[in-house]
Amino acid sequence: FQASHDSAPGLMAGELKNWSEDSRWRQHLQILLPILAVYLVLALYGIGRQGLWEDEYNSVWRVTASPNAIWKDGHGFLYFALLSLWIQLGTSELVLRSLSVLLGAVAVCLMYALGSTLLNRRAAVFGTILFATSPFLIWYSQEARYITLMLVSTLLAMYAFERAISQQRLRWWLASAAATLLAVFSFLSTLLLPVVQGLYLLWSPSRRPLLRKWIFCQVVVFALFAWWFVNGTHFLPALMKAREQGQQIVSNAEVFPFTGDFNTVRPEVIPYTFFSFSVGFSLGPSPRELHADRSVAPLVAYAPVLVLLLIVYGTVLFSGWLALRRWRDSRMLLLLWVTVPILCVFGIAKMLNIFYDVRYVAMVLPAYVLFLAAGIVRFRKVGIQLLLLGAILAIHGVALANYYFNPRYAREDTRASGQLLESAVRPGDVILVVGSSSSLPHYYKGSVPLVDFGTLDRAGQPLTELLREVSAKRDRIWLVQIRPWQVDRAGEVKAALDDAHNLFEQEHFPGVDVYGYKISE
């Protein structure tokens, strides 16, 4: 009787602890599930409306044309390995993109967990709401590419890192190393996450003693990554081959694709990165407008909108910087997380004259959103918090409405243009594609050949003679322009065809222009 009496308080304490933990889980789920439902609605709405564009087609091609070489992809093989399994369910736009939606849903859950750890519950709720409705996240959730996987692995790596340094348990150090390795295999630029973590530990005197354990984990991660990079990717073999042949690499085109004037990196890409994190690619000037004209002209028409966005987001970000004085450690971690990847990727792109794209630094988005959330919760009055949250959500709503319904912001519609060509061309025609040509054959199945202008050997030949050779012994020539600034920024091809032949038909789809010319004798 005495033994059972003595054990009763311990038993009751254990039951209370379990009840308390169950209650907390229910509270978290009651908060998270509605946010997750909103994300799923936004991410699935109209997911198959737009056809696959160039990068998405390249994803499908990787896993179908050479599935055994997936692990050698220099971007990071993990997404393509998952897609090779997922594609067994089907090859429609809905099926292909739904993998990104599933990964995005996991990212939303991790965002809530990380926000609760670094800040507090209210900031985590606001941050998760902003993240789940982010036009940037929704855009990439409807794309068959690796961005949402990159976000999942980034959030997992940073969450495991925070748990490791706060609890200092072996399981969390192992989890941190494993999550970092997953991030690296998701996309190469996530190699900057360990740099962020290392700088944070160096900065914090209280965390500095943990450097030894952290370095040991990173040595293991780097060893596995280095083995894959040397044996798996094409970068190192290309460099070695160039050196063996005594070639001087001027444009780095043999090692890094997408080089040249089109990819000239300018400082303006840094503020544009934060603009994209805020409103995605469907508010203000569209990416096509910015690519086609790299002056300030595309910005002038949207000046009022841009000023409004600068005021709203600038105010909330500044408030977030002030608010994070309460969470001093978190402020430095978030600051490093925001700045280091962007500056490093910009510096590498500038040094090697390779393409800079916002998606290469997508791992910064969660930290940026947490800055916004901290800025909102800094105000004590709930009314002001809801007003700021509502203002940003309203901006998200406008951007998403543009994305869903405004063709100006849609991806290049090679599906509609391919269907037009199949019905309009006839034997004796030729189709000349200027710009991005890889995704068009996915939809166009006609017998008339496609000629990629970018692959023609000009060899100093005048453009008029080159076009005459392409159209020789042909009755009609069809010009298809898809992202033409990549090879013909000045529009010289269309101008030459206008001068030489008779235009009899033209159709315009989002991002794709189709012109039919009757060849003059």
Side-chain angles (χ1 to χ4, degrees):
F1 174 80
Q2 184 65 35
S4 61
H5 181 270
D6 291 341
S7 62
L11 181 61
M12 291 177 63
E15 291 176 348
L16 288 174
K17 181 179 179 180
N18 292 335
W19 180 86
S20 178
E21 290 178 354
D22 292 342
S23 177
R24 283 199 299 269
W25 272 106
R26 283 195 295 271
Q27 291 176 1
H28 289 313
L29 289 176
Q30 289 172 357
I31 294 170
L32 184 57
L33 288 179
I35 301 174
L36 194 59
V38 170
Y39 164 76
L40 290 174
V41 170
L42 295 176
L44 290 172
Y45 179 78
I47 191 171
R49 180 183 294 133
Q50 299 180 26
L52 302 178
W53 75 291
E54 179 182 12
D55 280 9
E56 292 182 286
Y57 168 77
N58 290 337
S59 295
V60 176
W61 178 84
R62 274 185 174 87
V63 301
T64 55
S66 54
N68 294 330
I70 288 174
W71 80 288
K72 294 185 177 182
D73 190 279
H75 292 85
F77 65 86
L78 187 56
Y79 172 78
F80 300 108
L82 293 175
L83 184 62
S84 66
L85 300 175
W86 193 263
I87 205 172
Q88 305 304 317
L89 300 176
T91 57
S92 67
E93 291 86 356
L94 170 62
V95 173
L96 292 172
R97 291 168 175 163
S98 60
L99 174 60
S100 296
V101 175
L102 177 62
L103 293 170
V106 177
V108 170
C109 298
L110 289 172
M111 184 69 182
Y112 177 76
L114 184 63
S116 300
T117 301
L118 292 180
L119 304 178
N120 59 27
R121 181 177 295 186
R122 178 166 294 188
V125 171
F126 287 172
T128 308
I129 292 173
L130 295 178
F131 184 74
T133 60
S134 165
F136 185 91
L137 176 63
I138 300 302
W139 176 285
Y140 284 115
S141 294
Q142 294 195 351
E143 190 166 286
R145 292 295 276 176
Y146 44 77
I147 306 306
T148 53
L149 175 62
M150 185 179 174
L151 287 168
V152 167
S153 57
T154 294
L155 285 162
L156 188 61
M158 297 305 283
Y159 179 79
F161 170 72
E162 196 285 330
R163 294 284 87 187
I165 62 176
S166 61
Q167 297 189 9
Q168 301 184 34
R169 294 183 179 178
L170 177 61
R171 64 182 182 182
W172 282 114
W173 286 111
L174 295 175
S176 177
T180 302
L181 196 61
L182 287 177
V184 171
F185 289 154
S186 299
F187 193 71
L188 281 181
S189 63
T190 53
L191 276 170
L192 296 169
L193 291 177
V195 177
V196 171
Q197 297 171 358
L199 291 175
Y200 169 72
L201 293 176
L202 284 172
W203 171 84
S204 176
S206 62
R207 307 290 194 189
R208 208 167 293 157
L210 301 175
L211 266 173
R212 185 176 299 177
K213 294 181 180 179
W214 177 83
I215 290 175
F216 176 78
C217 291
Q218 301 314 308
V219 167
V220 175
V221 170
F222 183 77
L224 293 172
F225 164 77
W227 179 86
W228 167 74
F229 187 81
V230 171
N231 295 280
T233 68
H234 65 281
F235 296 126
L236 190 61
L239 280 171
M240 297 298 292
K241 180 180 178 181
R243 289 184 178 181
E244 289 174 1
Q245 296 177 353
Q247 298 174 354
Q248 182 179 4
I249 300 177
V250 177
S251 66
N252 300 301
E254 298 176 22
V255 182
F256 300 99
F258 313 121
T259 59
D261 178 68
F262 165 64
N263 306 291
T264 300
V265 182
R266 302 190 299 179
E268 293 90 329
V269 298
I270 294 179
Y272 179 72
T273 298
F274 291 103
F275 172 80
S276 302
F277 287 158
S278 301
V279 298
F281 308 103
S282 52
L283 194 61
S286 69
R288 282 193 289 273
E289 293 175 273
L290 295 173
H291 278 303
D293 186 353
R294 298 196 170 190
S295 67
V296 297
L299 305 179
V300 175
Y302 302 98
V305 174
L306 297 177
V307 171
L308 176 63
L309 294 176
L310 180 62
I311 293 173
V312 173
Y313 284 92
T315 300
V316 177
L317 286 172
F318 180 71
S319 175
W321 175 255
L322 296 178
L324 284 171
R325 289 182 297 181
R326 294 172 51 191
W327 301 285
R328 187 168 175 267
D329 285 345
S330 297
R331 178 169 70 167
M332 181 52 60
L333 180 61
L334 292 175
L335 178 63
L336 291 170
W337 188 353
V338 167
T339 56
V340 170
I342 293 176
L343 293 178
C344 288
V345 171
F346 172 80
I348 293 171
K350 188 73 173 176
M351 179 177 62
L352 298 177
N353 188 31
I354 58 176
F355 189 53
Y356 175 96
D357 196 289
V358 176
R359 66 177 181 267
Y360 298 164
V361 292
M363 80 284 280
V364 172
L365 178 65
Y368 176 77
V369 170
L370 287 176
F371 260 108
L372 294 175
I376 294 174
V377 299
R378 173 176 174 267
F379 296 92
R380 294 184 178 181
K381 293 185 177 180
V382 176
I384 297 178
Q385 293 179 0
L386 296 179
L387 179 64
L388 291 173
L389 179 65
I392 296 179
L393 290 179
I395 294 172
H396 285 185
V398 174
L400 289 172
N402 285 337
Y403 169 62
Y404 294 138
F405 306 115
N406 192 334
R408 178 187 301 168
Y409 300 102
R411 295 174 179 84
E412 288 75 23
D413 193 354
T414 54
R415 180 171 57 190
S417 57
Q419 292 170 351
L420 169 70
L421 291 171
E422 284 187 6
S423 63
V425 299
R426 64 192 186 195
D429 293 357
V430 64
I431 303 171
L432 179 63
V433 184
V434 175
S436 172
S437 62
S438 60
S439 60
L440 186 57
H442 183 71
Y443 294 107
Y444 170 74
K445 304 300 181 183
S447 57
V448 173
L450 298 174
V451 178
D452 184 357
F453 178 78
T455 62
L456 296 177
D457 183 12
R458 302 186 62 173
Q461 219 177 354
L463 179 60
T464 53
E465 292 184 11
L466 185 67
L467 294 176
R468 192 177 298 117
E469 290 182 5
V470 171
S471 59
K473 299 180 181 180
R474 300 288 182 176
D475 299 323
R476 302 186 302 179
I477 182 171
W478 294 84
L479 172 64
V480 182
Q481 293 183 323
I482 309 173
R483 304 170 72 89
W485 59 81
Q486 294 183 355
V487 295
D488 184 28
R489 181 176 296 279
E492 296 177 359
V493 176
K494 183 179 184 302
L497 291 174
D498 286 338
D499 291 339
H501 307 299
N502 298 320
L503 178 68
F504 69 88
E505 184 174 350
Q506 58 179 315
E507 294 289 343
H508 303 282
F509 307 99
V512 184
D513 298 313
V514 181
Y515 303 92
Y517 294 90
K518 183 174 178 56
I519 297 176
S520 303
E521 297 295 338

